[in-house]
C-alpha cells in the first residue's frame, strides 16, 4: 500500500464515515486518506471515529489483522470491553 494523501479536511458535501457508517455532514472536519491498494482507495472518517479505530488497533497490538478485523466501529465497539470511551 502506498499512501498518496493523508490529512484533515472540512467536508464540502456529505460523505459516509468508514468507521461508524454515519454521515459526515458538510462543514464537519474529517480525516481523508488516499492510498493504492488493489486500485485507488479513498478513506474518510470522523476525527473521533478515526482516533477510536487507531486506539483499538493499538490495543490489539500484533493481533490486529486488517483483513479479519476491519469491521466498522459501530459493530465492533459493542463487542469489546476496552473502555467506556469507545462506546
Amino acid at each position: 500500500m502506498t499512501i498518496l494523501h493523508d490529512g484533515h479536511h472540512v467536508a464540502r458535501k456529505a460523505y459516509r464515515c468508514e468507521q461508524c457508517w454515519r454521515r459526515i455532514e458538510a462543514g464537519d472536519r474529517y480525516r481523508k486518506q488516499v492510498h493504492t491498494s488493489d486500485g485507488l482507495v479513498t478513506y474518510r472518517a470522523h476525527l473521533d471515529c478515526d482516533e477510536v479505530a487507531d486506539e483499538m488497533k493499538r490495543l490489539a497490538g500484533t493481533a490486529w489483522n486488517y483483513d479479519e478485523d476491519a469491521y466498522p466501529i459501530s459493530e465492533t465497539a459493542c463487542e469489546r470491553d476496552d473502555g467506556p470511551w469507545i462506546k
Side-chain angles (χ1 to χ4, degrees):
M1 175 171 72
T2 301
I3 297 174
L4 304 173
H5 172 78
D6 191 1
H8 294 177
H9 295 269
V10 176
R12 289 182 277 167
K13 64 178 189 174
Y15 297 104
R16 185 183 72 144
C17 175
E18 298 289 336
Q19 296 299 335
C20 72
W21 292 2
R22 294 187 177 116
R23 285 171 55 109
I24 298 170
E25 299 292 345
D28 288 352
R29 290 189 51 76
Y30 70 101
R31 179 181 179 198
K32 177 181 178 182
Q33 184 182 81
V34 179
H35 62 271
T36 57
S37 176
D38 295 329
L40 194 62
V41 177
T42 300
Y43 165 87
R44 292 180 179 94
H46 296 108
L47 297 180
D48 55 348
C49 292
D50 190 59
E51 181 182 348
V52 168
D54 285 345
E55 181 65 7
M56 289 174 68
K57 288 181 224 174
R58 187 190 68 75
L59 291 168
T62 58
W64 182 265
N65 180 335
Y66 184 80
D67 292 336
E68 294 176 10
D69 298 330
Y71 301 107
I73 291 170
S74 58
E75 293 177 15
T76 312
C78 295
E79 299 171 5
R80 297 180 62 102
D81 192 26
D82 293 322
W85 66 273
I86 291 177
K87 294 174 178 75

